[in-house]
């Protein structure tokens, strides 16, 4: 079989990404000063200036039609440009090439290229990450002028553009939700008690977040900040640490002995080994509550078995070896115990609910109110890709339905028959969205509707979700 | 030393009697707690004083020789007087019975009576040096009937009126103690938080086994059946003359030379010893007010001084112990076993949440856990009792007694009223600590499976809302830490203005309650979600009973004509299905809606009567 005769698919890809502020180079000949960051950096200077100028012009032009809502994106046949005013006069632009299909032609003629005009599920979520780690543009300017800002942007985007996988963006990236770990009341109260006690004895700690199996159980941070931190933890920090674990290197299952207590606690940020005399006690810094109090915090992530705790401490405090040792000695044994408690409780609950309650349905659920997301479609997330158990075409339909929902405020239900024997159902009730994929070859609309009702009755019987 | 540090005190109103002298003999009857002052053998008067005024009696009797012992039977029915070593005399004090004395000699030849004890209003035990004799007194016949006797060599004896147990010292060496139990026919012993066990205490001036020169008190438990065993050792840590009391289940040991007393609680366990060795619970203190040297202390809660003519009840004052016992867990254990403990415990709770010596969360948790454990045990006993009563008294021969609610049972409303509600109002306490304490209390209740009352949840919500900690509240509700209830759902609904997500939380809660469908409909209608309300009520099968007028009104208010059409049509169909006609009944008061429908959509749009 001649492979050359087959169609070739191209996924969307990042063409360029830049940050500018028009007020920085308003005079003729100083246009370059507007550009704070440009990817790819090797692009020739004049082209950079030209592209920035074009975006400026588009935004300026469209503003005449609607002064309050400037243009968000520009779609052309080949690509799409997304404009985002992150802060007053600070613009971030991303240019993405549309997905395309290359159809080979006979007789050695050049192949035909078809660009696919469909919704690309891209949200500038990483901007929030930018704020999380760098605070606002304005604050950075105050602290060290354009120099510092450009340094920060360089450092940040260099890393994050590598983790931007446009082809694997899907509905969950749009929601940017939080998966909550299901837990019984008593174990939850024990965790509460643990968090409160640690915060009491280590009074430097300002906020605490508690996760198990990469799912959130408790957040002392406000919802918006937690959403970003959660994103960072689950897509960046945890996968980075779990990959060596899976590879068998640097096994974390080597218990530490604190006093006479065995424990499995260790730092995921900061010192890798407390006993190392050279160990550095530097932790990543994050910015939270940027809207009002604007706090800069050290982020300590500490893990024992599957339980991870984030402790956040004001950045004005210098963290010492003594503090880290104290934290390790206090938290390590307790967290180890708690982690095995949670694991046990979780297994008990699973046994009670039984295998028949295990979802045979493939669904994605999201609640805008508490950002809770639940997916039986996604397998484990890793740093590079999110694995799904369904065909990308179906994922695209989910994206389309989501876009339809976003256009209206009222409750809606959309049922789609996909090309491949699948039914896709989207339901929206108040602030909740549910997407179900059913594989029933000969089912009709009524049967599909009944099936989804059944799902709601079993999986969502404890919430107010209108059929 | 300030007065606050005395934890033992004498009661305010001592029993006052004429002091002992050559013409006045003083006796004390432990069973009835009565002091007898016998002047001139009774000829010039006998004055009996008890703990309460009504048990005081004064009378005369003939002087028939020196009185050796004098006691009333229970309820002051019959007086027994011993004047000779061979016999006891009786006088009826029952109205309308002959007042003349009658006498009973002991049955055993050559025996001499050491003493006697009343076990009932008409039952008496003689203890002689050769054994015991158990009689029933027949006051009308002025005679006694021997019920039982037992031959045994007796050196001395002790009587415990609460349990009707006589302890005899037997054998020539005097190294055997033999207990005899009598059936208690009158229950004057209420198990009011009492340990309900009988112990024999014996004071050992110095331990032979160890080189320690200090004295100790050794306790043997005396079960009603089975053998007696050595259970506790109380370390006195000093030597000298001692006297013992038992007050409120505490062993009080008075040390004569230092004029101080120490207390022991045999239930405060020292975990690593098989035989419990106890140190004093509190440092030694004098009794307040220490007026007289104690010459006679008896093994009950009475201190008396026959020389000065006073008799006091000894009392344990709990408030000072709070500052003397630093370990809060131990303090609570100690207090929970005392009689008048409730307010003291609650004040300990308040104290540990406020002020400088605020307890840490683990301490707070320990205290809550101890209180709730006792609370839980009471609830369980109550439940078992209720079940037993419901299943009928016929089954199970033992008639159960209703469990007594002692002061140690501290429930949620006690905590709420005396501790938590004022604590959450405190301005100088961080809200973090307040919330942590409330959650700790809720955790503790959950741990022993006690249903948490909704006013505690309201306190949590109030505190969170006050500090705008809505996301925390949301998370608590998400994990059902704050259990569902209608009042809570309504409270959430009222928060919608400040926290929009509260609306969803409230609706979810109402849904889970499954008894609040009407409320859900009201909420949805108030939000003008008429179709949503209708779909909901249909999904729970209540659509045949809802008021058409209510829905049509709501639809009218939305000013959405298509919505009104849909709702109107729905009810026409319902009418048709239920009554065979699409038109509304006059009772439904929908005339104006019909008029409006005709106005907007025309007469012909009304549903036609199905032709049969």
């Amino acid at each position: 079989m001649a492979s050359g005769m087959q169609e070739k698919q191209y996924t969307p890809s990042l063409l360029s990404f830049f940050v500018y502020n028009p007020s920085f180079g308003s005079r003729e000949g100083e246009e370059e000063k507007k550009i704070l960051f440009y990817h790819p950096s090797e692009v020739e200077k004049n082209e950079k200036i030209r592209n920035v100028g074009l975006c400026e012009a588009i935004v300026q032009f469209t503003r005449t039609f609607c002064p309050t809502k400037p243009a968000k994106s520009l779609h052309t046949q080949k690509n799409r440009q997304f404009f985002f005013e992150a802060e007053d006069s600070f613009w971030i632009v991303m240019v993405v090439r549309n997905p395309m299909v290359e159809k080979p032609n006979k007789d050695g003629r050049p192949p035909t290229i078809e660009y696919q005009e469909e919704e690309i599920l891209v949200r500038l979520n990483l901007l929030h990450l930018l704020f999380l780690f760098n605070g606002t543009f304005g604050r950075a300017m105050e602290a060290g002028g354009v120099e510092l800002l450009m340094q920060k942007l360089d450092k940040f985007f260099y890393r994050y553009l590598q983790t931007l996988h446009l082809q694997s963006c899907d509905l969950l990236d749009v929601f940017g939700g939080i998966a909550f770990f299901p837990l019984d009341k008593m174990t939850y109260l024990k965790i509460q008690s643990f968090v409160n006690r640690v915060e009491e004895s280590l009074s430097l700690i300002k906020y605490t977040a508690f996760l198990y199996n990469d799912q959130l159980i408790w957040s002392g941070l406000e919802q918006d900040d937690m959403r970003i931190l959660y994103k960072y933890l689950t897509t960046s920090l945890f996968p980075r640490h779990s990959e060596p674990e899976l590879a068998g290197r640097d096994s974390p299952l080597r218990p530490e002995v604190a006093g006479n207590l065995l424990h499995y606690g260790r730092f995921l940020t900061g010192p890798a080994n407390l006993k190392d005399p050279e160990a550095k006690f530097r932790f990543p810094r994050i910015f939270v509550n940027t809207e009002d109090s604007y706090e800069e915090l050290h982020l300590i992530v500490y893990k024992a078995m599957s339980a991870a705790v984030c402790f956040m401490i004001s950045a004005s405090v210098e963290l010492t070896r003594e503090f880290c040792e104290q934290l390790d000695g206090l938290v390590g044994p307790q967290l180890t115990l708690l982690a095995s408690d949670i694991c046990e409780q979780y297994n008990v609950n699973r046994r009670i609910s039984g295998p028949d309650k295990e979802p045979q349905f493939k669904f994605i659920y999201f609640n805008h109110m508490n950002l809770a997301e639940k997916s039986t479609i996604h397998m484990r997330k890793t740093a590079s890709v999110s694995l799904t158990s369904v065909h990308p075409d179906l994922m695209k339909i989910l994206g389309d339905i989501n876009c339809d929902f976003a256009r209206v405020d009222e409750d809606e239900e959309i049922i789609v028959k996909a090309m491949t024997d699948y039914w896709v159902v989207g339901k929206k009730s108040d602030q909740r969205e549910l997407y179900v994929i059913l594989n029933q070859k000969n089912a009709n609309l009524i049967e599909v509707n009944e099936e989804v009702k059944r799902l709601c009755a079993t999986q969502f019987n404890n919430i107010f979700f209108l059929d | 030393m300030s007065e606050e540090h005395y934890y033992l005190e004498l009661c305010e109103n001592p029993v006052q009697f004429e002091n002992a002298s050559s013409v006045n003999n003083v006796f004390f009857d432990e069973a009835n707690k009565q002091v007898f002052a016998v002047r001139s053998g009774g000829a010039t008067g006998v004055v009996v004083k008890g703990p309460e005024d009504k048990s005081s009696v004064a009378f005369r009797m003939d002087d028939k020789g020196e009185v050796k012992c004098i006691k009333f039977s229970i309820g002051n029915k019959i007086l027994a007087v011993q004047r000779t070593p061979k016999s006891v005399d009786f006088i009826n004090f029952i109205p309308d019975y002959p007042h003349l004395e009658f006498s009973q000699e002991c049955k055993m030849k050559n025996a001499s009576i050491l003493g006697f004890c009343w076990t009932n209003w008409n039952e008496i035990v003689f203890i002689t040096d050769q054994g015991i004799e158990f009689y029933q007194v027949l006051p009308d016949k002025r005679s006694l009937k021997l019920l039982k006797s037992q031959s045994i060599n007796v050196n001395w004896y002790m009587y415990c009126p609460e349990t009707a147990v006589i302890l005899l010292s037997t054998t020539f060496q005097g190294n055997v103690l033999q207990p005899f139990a009598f059936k208690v026919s009158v229950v004057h012993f209420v198990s009011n938080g009492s340990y309900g066990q009988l112990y024999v205490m014996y004071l050992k001036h110095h331990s032979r086994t160890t080189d320690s020169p200090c004295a100790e008190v050794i306790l043997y438990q005396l079960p009603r059946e089975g053998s007696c065993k050595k259970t506790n050792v109380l370390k006195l840590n000093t030597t000298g003359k001692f006297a013992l009391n038992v007050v409120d289940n505490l062993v009080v040991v008075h040390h004569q030379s230092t004029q101080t007393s120490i207390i022991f609680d045999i239930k405060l366990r020292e975990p690593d010893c098989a035989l419990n060795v106890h140190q004093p619970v509190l440092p030694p203190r004098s009794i307040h007010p220490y007026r007289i040297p104690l010459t006679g202390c008896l093994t009950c809660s009475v201190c008396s001084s026959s020389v000065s003519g006073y008799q006091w009840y000894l009392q344990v004052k709990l408030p000072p112990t709070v500052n003397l016992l630093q370990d809060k867990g131990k303090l609570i254990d100690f207090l929970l076993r005392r009689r008048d403990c409730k307010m003291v415990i609650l004040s300990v709770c308040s104290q540990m949440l406020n002020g400088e010596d605020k307890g840490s969360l683990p301490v707070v948790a320990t205290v809550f856990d101890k209180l709730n454990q006792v609370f839980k045990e009471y609830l369980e006993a109550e439940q078992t009792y209720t079940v037993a009563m419901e299943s009928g008294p016929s089954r199970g021969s033992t008639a159960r007694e209703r469990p007594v609610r002692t002061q140690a049972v501290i429930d949620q409303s006690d905590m709420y009223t005396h501790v938590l509600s004022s604590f959450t109002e405190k301005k100088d306490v961080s809200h973090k600590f307040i919330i942590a304490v409330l959650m700790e209390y809720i955790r503790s209740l959950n741990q022993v499976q006690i249903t948490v009352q909704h006013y505690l949840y309201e306190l949590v919500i109030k505190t969170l809302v006050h500090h705008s900690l809505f996301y925390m509240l949301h998370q608590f509700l998400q994990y059902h830490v704050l259990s569902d209830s209608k009042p809570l759902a309504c409270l959430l609904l009222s928060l919608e203005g400040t926290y929009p997500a509260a609306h969803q939380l409230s609706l979810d809660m109402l849904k889970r309650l499954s008894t609040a469908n009407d409320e859900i409909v009201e909420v949805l209608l108030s939000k003008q979600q008429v179709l949503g309300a209708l779909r909901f009520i249909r999904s729970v099968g209540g659509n045949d009973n809802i008021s058409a007028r209510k829905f049509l009104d709501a639809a009218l208010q939305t000013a959405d004509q298509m919505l009104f059409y849909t709702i109107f049509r729905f009810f026409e169909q319902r009418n048709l299905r239920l009554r065979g006609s699409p038109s509304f009944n006059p009772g439904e008061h929908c005339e104006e809606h019909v008029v409006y429908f005709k106005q907007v959509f025309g007469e012909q749009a009304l549903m036609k009567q199905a032709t049969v």
Side-chain angles (χ1 to χ4, degrees), chain A residues 181 199 219 432 464 467, chain B residues 361 432 475 479 508 535:
Chain A
F181 187 79
E199 286 187 4
S219 163
R432 294 180 163 113
F464 187 79
D467 299 320
Chain B
L361 282 174
K432 222 172 182 175
Q475 294 181 67
Y479 280 95
D508 289 351
R535 281 167 66 196

Side-chain angles (χ1 to χ4, degrees), chain B residues 70-229:
Chain B
I70 180 166
K71 285 172 186 176
F72 269 118
S73 76
I74 292 161
N76 291 0
K77 300 277 194 266
I78 303 162
L79 180 72
V81 188
Q82 188 196 351
R83 296 180 174 112
T84 71
K86 300 294 281 181
S87 66
V88 178
D89 305 325
F90 297 89
I91 305 165
N92 282 334
F93 269 71
I94 307 165
D96 308 332
Y97 275 66
H99 201 71
L100 280 173
E101 278 189 29
F102 52 101
S103 186
Q104 177 69 42
E105 267 192 32
C106 62
K107 291 275 181 225
M108 256 165 282
K109 293 262 155 46
N110 307 323
S112 62
I113 298 173
L114 300 174
F116 60 87
C117 338
W118 287 102
T119 63
N120 200 343
W121 77 270
N122 65 346
E123 285 169 353
I124 193 165
V125 185
F126 290 4
I127 299 102
T128 71
D129 55 357
Q130 291 176 22
I132 53 175
E133 296 167 11
F134 185 37
Y135 293 97
Q136 185 178 27
V137 184
L138 309 166
D140 46 342
K141 292 179 181 149
R142 302 179 53 235
S143 66
L144 276 77
K145 193 173 105 188
L146 181 69
L147 296 174
K148 203 161 192 170
S149 66
Q150 174 88 32
S151 206
I152 189 167
N153 176 39
V154 180
N155 304 314
W156 50 266
Y157 77 98
M158 300 268 288
Y159 177 60
C160 172
E162 282 85 358
T163 53
V165 169
I166 294 175
L167 197 65
L168 306 176
S169 163
T170 74
T171 74
F172 179 67
Q173 294 94 335
N175 57 357
V176 174
L177 292 176
Q178 173 73 51
F180 280 90
F182 293 85
K183 202 175 150 196
V184 192
S185 41
V186 177
V187 183
H188 55 106
F189 169 67
V190 185
S191 62
N192 189 6
S194 165
Y195 296 169
Q197 294 287 347
L198 183 63
Y199 290 88
V200 176
M201 294 195 284
Y202 110 83
L203 180 70
K204 207 165 156 188
H205 280 281
H206 52 83
S207 174
R208 224 172 293 142
T209 48
T210 61
D211 290 335
S212 151
C214 295
E216 53 190 34
V217 174
I218 297 166
L219 270 75
Y220 291 87
Q221 196 184 349
L222 211 60
R224 268 197 106 75
E225 276 155 33
S227 62
C228 125
K229 60 176 192 277

Side-chain angles (χ1 to χ4, degrees), chain A residues 354-363 374-376 455 459:
Chain A
D356 49 310
K357 272 243 185 134
E358 285 291 294
Q360 300 127 358
F361 296 96
K362 291 187 187 305
F363 69 85
K374 194 173 172 184
S375 168
T376 58
L455 168 75
Q459 294 280 323

Side-chain angles (χ1 to χ4, degrees), chain B residues 523-591:
Chain B
V523 170
L524 292 175
L525 288 182
S526 74
K527 294 255 143 195
Q528 301 207 328
Q529 294 179 12
V530 189
L531 215 52
L534 202 55
R535 281 167 66 196
F536 168 73
I537 203 73
R538 197 174 59 179
S539 75
V540 296
N543 50 322
D544 285 353
N545 304 317
I546 48 172
S547 148
R549 187 188 159 88
K550 189 193 274 178
F551 279 79
L552 289 169
D553 271 345
L556 208 55
Q557 271 174 23
T558 63
D560 179 344
Q561 291 188 347
M562 275 325 290
L563 181 70
F564 182 79
Y565 182 91
T566 312
I567 302 292
F568 192 88
R569 185 62 92 219
F570 173 85
F571 284 105
E572 278 188 322
Q573 282 166 352
R574 185 182 81 165
N575 294 342
L576 184 66
R577 184 163 46 82
L578 296 179
R579 296 194 296 267
S581 158
S583 54
F584 290 91
N585 269 355
E588 293 181 274
H589 302 292
C590 294
E591 294 78 12

Side-chain angles (χ1 to χ4, degrees), chain A residues 131-151:
Chain A
F131 291 141
L132 181 66
F133 286 101
N134 296 287
T136 59
F137 290 86
R139 288 280 180 150
M141 289 282 294
E142 277 170 34
V146 188
E147 288 282 294
L148 179 74
L149 178 62
M150 286 173 72
Q151 266 175 31

Side-chain angles (χ1 to χ4, degrees), chain A residues 137-254:
Chain A
F137 290 86
R139 288 280 180 150
M141 289 282 294
E142 277 170 34
V146 188
E147 288 282 294
L148 179 74
L149 178 62
M150 286 173 72
Q151 266 175 31
K152 282 192 161 192
L153 291 174
D154 244 16
K155 200 173 142 202
F156 176 79
F157 283 118
Y158 172 75
R159 180 123 62 99
Y160 280 95
L161 289 179
Q162 290 176 340
T163 65
L164 182 69
H165 298 278
L166 290 174
Q167 68 278 7
S168 64
C169 272
D170 65 34
L171 200 56
L172 284 191
D173 296 281
V174 174
F175 291 141
I178 296 171
F180 286 92
F181 187 79
L183 203 60
D184 66 293
K185 178 161 56 170
M186 196 55 227
T187 318
Y188 185 81
L189 284 167
K190 275 192 203 161
I191 292 170
Q192 271 296 312
S193 184
F194 161 79
V195 170
N196 289 335
R197 284 171 193 208
V198 173
E199 286 187 4
E200 186 187 53
S201 30
L202 301 172
S203 55
L204 284 179
I205 297 171
K206 248 187 133 172
Y207 305 104
T208 308
F210 194 108
L211 296 94
Y212 189 86
N213 264 352
D214 297 1
Q215 289 166 307
L216 187 67
I217 293 179
W218 167 251
S219 163
L221 281 182
E222 283 305 310
Q223 181 171 274
D224 289 341
D225 292 323
M226 193 60 229
R227 175 187 223 170
I228 307 161
L229 181 61
Y230 181 77
K231 177 100 183 156
Y232 163 70
L233 293 172
T234 51
T235 59
S236 179
L237 185 72
F238 291 158
R240 257 207 323 272
H241 281 85
S242 73
E243 272 155 26
E245 275 173 31
L246 293 174
R249 279 177 283 136
D250 189 26
S251 168
L253 297 175
R254 193 181 48 225

